[in-house]
Amino acid sequence: SIWCFTLPMVLVESLGMRMIPAVAVLCWALFTIEEVGHIIEDPFNMPGAQAHPDDLRLERSFLTTREDIMERLPCEGEMLSRNGGDTQVT
């Protein structure tokens, strides 16, 4: 932003009054690129994600998907039937 603020002072000698639209277009392009970078960093636009990490309810979605898969798979192993399909023994 400091660069965009000082750019008109540098270009006024070489461009004259054409400096105004040139600076406007350049600053718009740079700020747009910066905003795209912020959107890419946080694609779900969740400002409080650190306070509530499961706002997307991913865990519930994973459990539902797992339950659906386990319903469709034949349960052949004793460990699978005992642990509800969980292969990790705690």
Side-chain angles (χ1 to χ4, degrees):
S1 62
I2 293 174
W3 186 82
C4 288
F5 177 71
T6 58
L7 184 62
M9 296 174 207
V10 175
L11 293 179
V12 73
E13 289 181 28
S14 61
L15 294 179
M17 291 306 288
R18 292 177 291 176
M19 170 262 317
I20 295 171
V23 169
V25 169
L26 283 170
C27 289
W28 173 80
L30 290 174
F31 286 128
T32 301
I33 290 171
E34 183 177 359
E35 188 61 30
V36 166
H38 289 295
I39 291 170
I40 289 172
E41 286 178 357
D42 188 16
F44 298 110
N45 196 16
M46 298 175 63
Q50 287 76 21
H52 306 285
D54 200 21
D55 282 344
L56 292 176
R57 296 179 181 89
L58 294 176
E59 189 67 31
R60 185 175 65 182
S61 176
F62 295 153
L63 289 174
T64 303
T65 303
R66 185 176 179 278
E67 289 171 3
D68 290 344
I69 290 172
M70 293 308 293
E71 285 178 7
R72 288 167 177 76
L73 288 177
C75 184
E76 297 177 6
E78 183 180 328
M79 180 183 283
L80 287 176
S81 62
R82 256 189 319 188
N83 296 328
D86 194 4
T87 57
Q88 296 179 347
V89 178
T90 55

